Amino acid sequence: MKPSIPKGTRDFSPTEVANRTYIMNTIKTAFETFGFQPIETPSFENSSTLMGKYGEEGDRLIFKILNSGDFLAKADEKLLSNKESTKVISQISEKALRYDLTVPFARYVVQHQNEITFPFKRYQIQPVWRADRPQKGRFREFYQCDADVVGSKSLWQEVEFIQLYDTVFSQLGLQGTTIKINNRKILSGIAEVIGAQDKLIDFTVALDKLDKIGKEGVIKEMLSKGITEDAIKKVAPLFSFKGSNLENLDALQQMLAASEEGKSGVEELRFVINAIDQLGLTSASLEVDVTLARGLNYYTGAIFEVAAPKGVKMGSIGGGGRYDDLTGIFGMPDVSGVGISFGLDRIYLVLEELELFKYVDLPKPKVLFLNFDETTDIAKMKAITVLRNRGIKSEMYPDLAGSNNQQKKQWKYATNREIQYVVSEVENDTYLLKNMENFEQLTCSLSEIIEKVK
């Protein structure tokens, strides 16, 4: 059988791992500069922790893990015979791979609330899994790089997250990203004034697809969900909002005059926009996007989405928002939080397309001992041990060269891996050392090698 990997997953070469590490380290440094602390949570959670937190569409994309042993033993035979998979799943699967890092974080906060100092600023860089249809920039296994604050309702947190996005993308050399912002209270207000409060989730999920399926596609989906033509006519101006951020906010203020919640959302956005206008951004731009909905049920305030620079065909490379009571689902009500995520894999593809990766040195030895004489192997390994204890990366070519061709193979190995120093001979505590960059060759002691290569 020809070996393969599941669709939506990837292998990573040493160069790809180095480039991904460069991105993650850039994000991690920014997280810590802004005062966030790291945590980690398990790859899988109890299904009850995850299910029902992401909306109907999100729940379908959660990878379920079959129970150990005879997982069908406790399953209802009638449900099995009728092939009612959605009903039988809870009987054969009690755990699931995490869909994102936010819900596990909420669970973590509730479980560890007595150990945490609030407001709690945490970051998390770990893989997540979604049973999505693979395509460019969309994978079934991918990393998220999240930062969240819980225990504060201050809108300065939203301001800081916009600055955090700008800081990371500036340091990566990614000019021209657009940070889109909206507020779920505005969307709730719109649903209220058009008389579709009971269809809020259907309304926001459909509206969020505007850039993917267009105005006609959104209208068709709204109609299919029971939203009336009259309601859709009232919301039509949203499809073509133009002007500056403040002009759009003024237009929304008028549209939502009859909704207290909607007006509250507009004022929250106005605070953030005004603050960023005064503080400034380095490389990104901030844009009010009234069609931005982000289909996750737990958002209650500001919502963010980051678009790649114009000309790069890629979905969002980051997103997040405010959730006022996410921990309430785990028995800890009234703890407000806000967070954002960086899409590592999509950021990688954007940097690659724009040729923005800096040269990254792959891990390699500083000194390579060639293996031409097995009688000196112990002497070489003793020297290597001393070098390693001094923090100098060193190794011995493992296989003995029994011919000229095999010796050439070892020299080629040093060249291909771009190893700077090569020891080809060892005799009476002296070493024949060659600098592969300038081809200088000299006989020296081990202490002299240490001084030279450092």
Side-chain angles (χ1 to χ4, degrees):
M1 241 180 106
K2 188 177 180 180
S4 63
I5 58 175
K7 288 182 179 179
T9 64
R10 294 151 297 159
D11 292 320
F12 297 108
S13 69
T15 298
E16 289 169 326
V17 170
N19 286 335
R20 287 165 63 84
T21 301
Y22 157 67
I23 298 172
M24 284 192 278
N25 286 344
T26 301
I27 295 171
K28 178 182 175 182
T29 298
F31 282 164
E32 294 182 356
T33 300
F34 277 69
F36 293 87
Q37 298 175 295
I39 69 164
E40 291 189 356
T41 59
S43 298
F44 55 92
E45 298 271 352
N46 292 325
S47 296
S48 57
T49 298
L50 303 179
M51 297 299 290
K53 313 303 188 300
Y54 305 103
E56 186 178 336
E57 287 194 12
D59 281 355
R60 283 201 299 267
L61 300 181
I62 293 174
F63 275 109
K64 285 79 175 178
I65 300 173
L66 292 174
N67 294 338
S68 301
D70 186 1
F71 57 86
L72 289 177
K74 297 179 181 179
D76 185 298
E77 290 187 12
K78 185 177 179 181
L79 293 177
L80 285 174
S81 62
N82 291 339
K83 298 182 179 180
E84 296 184 60
S85 57
T86 55
K87 293 181 180 179
V88 82
I89 190 68
S90 62
Q91 300 174 358
I92 63 175
S93 172
E94 297 172 354
K95 294 176 285 294
L97 293 176
R98 60 172 173 240
Y99 175 91
D100 72 352
L101 299 178
T102 305
V103 170
F105 170 55
R107 189 266 310 152
Y108 175 93
V109 169
V110 174
Q111 277 195 258
H112 299 273
Q113 57 186 285
N114 295 326
E115 307 153 31
I116 291 172
T117 300
F118 293 97
F120 181 46
K121 301 176 74 172
R122 87 81 168 87
Y123 76 84
Q124 203 169 341
I125 300 176
Q126 288 186 277
V128 299
W129 293 266
R130 296 183 185 179
D132 216 339
R133 186 165 63 93
Q135 53 186 283
K136 183 182 178 183
R138 180 173 292 175
F139 307 99
R140 288 175 172 169
E141 178 187 59
F142 58 97
Y143 268 76
Q144 283 189 338
C145 309
D146 280 17
D148 287 78
V149 183
V150 291
S152 172
K153 294 183 178 181
S154 170
L155 293 174
W156 284 111
Q157 305 296 347
E158 278 84 340
V159 173
E160 279 210 330
F161 278 124
I162 292 168
Q163 291 179 309
L164 179 56
Y165 269 137
D166 182 52
T167 297
V168 169
F169 292 128
S170 297
Q171 291 176 354
L172 290 173
L174 192 56
Q175 302 289 320
T177 57
T178 301
I179 303 168
K180 298 179 180 181
I181 187 171
N182 197 11
N183 195 297
R184 285 298 283 256
K185 292 177 182 177
I186 290 174
L187 295 171
S188 296
I190 293 169
E192 181 183 343
V193 298
I194 66 173
Q197 299 100 310
D198 60 329
K199 301 287 185 180
L200 174 61
I201 293 174
D202 292 331
F203 171 74
T204 55
V205 168
L207 190 62
D208 198 39
K209 296 177 181 177
L210 182 63
D211 61 337
K212 302 181 184 72
I213 61 177
K215 176 181 176 181
E216 296 307 316
V218 170
I219 291 173
K220 184 178 179 181
E221 181 165 332
M222 286 183 175
L223 289 171
S224 72
K225 297 293 185 179
I227 299 171
T228 66
E229 288 188 18
D230 185 52
I232 293 171
K233 284 180 183 177
K234 291 178 182 178
V235 84
L238 292 179
F239 299 135
S240 56
F241 250 47
K242 292 180 181 178
S244 70
N245 287 334
L246 293 178
E247 286 171 343
N248 285 341
L249 290 177
D250 289 341
L252 284 169
Q253 189 84 32
Q254 294 179 3
M255 182 185 293
L256 298 171
S259 170
E260 290 302 318
E261 185 175 16
K263 287 189 293 184
S264 173
V266 171
E267 286 311 306
E268 288 181 12
L269 267 192
R270 196 182 297 278
F271 175 91
V272 175
I273 296 296
N274 285 334
I276 292 297
D277 281 348
Q278 294 179 67
L279 294 169
L281 297 175
T282 302
S283 65
S285 60
L286 182 63
E287 176 186 302
V288 173
D289 183 350
V290 291
T291 66
L292 176 62
R294 294 192 65 81
L296 299 181
N297 286 349
Y298 51 64
Y299 290 127
T300 56
I303 43 181
F304 304 102
E305 197 158 278
V306 184
K310 291 178 181 177
V312 179
K313 292 183 179 180
M314 182 62 64
S316 64
I317 58 175
R322 165 75 65 173
Y323 41 89
D324 279 338
D325 194 28
L326 186 62
T327 55
I329 55 180
F330 300 119
M332 187 179 174
D334 303 321
V335 179
S336 186
V338 58
I340 61 171
S341 180
F342 290 84
L344 170 67
D345 300 277
R346 290 186 176 183
I347 293 170
Y348 184 106
L349 292 173
V350 172
L351 293 180
E352 187 175 52
E353 181 173 336
L354 297 176
E355 298 181 349
L356 291 175
F357 277 117
K358 299 175 182 177
Y359 177 77
V360 180
D361 267 330
L362 297 178
K364 61 187 177 185
K366 186 81 171 178
V367 183
L368 173 69
F369 286 72
L370 302 183
N371 194 350
F372 297 164
D373 180 5
E374 64 183 339
T375 64
T376 59
D377 284 355
I378 289 296
K380 293 171 195 166
M381 290 305 298
K382 285 182 177 180
I384 287 169
T385 301
V386 172
L387 291 172
R388 287 173 176 170
N389 288 340
R390 296 296 186 94
I392 299 170
K393 297 174 184 176
S394 313
E395 69 178 47
M396 180 177 72
Y397 194 90
D399 300 310
L400 178 67
S403 66
N404 285 336
N405 282 339
Q406 290 175 350
Q407 289 188 10
K408 289 178 181 177
K409 180 180 178 182
Q410 294 191 22
W411 284 108
K412 187 176 180 181
Y413 175 84
T415 301
N416 288 346
R417 290 199 65 191
E418 299 179 345
I419 299 169
Q420 186 176 0
Y421 293 99
V422 173
V423 174
S424 56
E425 294 180 19
V426 178
E427 186 176 356
N428 297 328
D429 294 328
T430 61
Y431 306 83
L432 185 59
L433 181 73
K434 183 174 183 178
N435 185 327
M436 299 293 285
E437 292 181 351
N438 59 21
F439 304 108
E440 178 187 37
Q441 190 166 281
L442 69 155
T443 300
C444 54
S445 66
L446 185 58
S447 60
E448 288 172 328
I449 290 178
I450 292 170
E451 288 303 312
K452 195 161 189 67
V453 304
K454 272 196 169 182

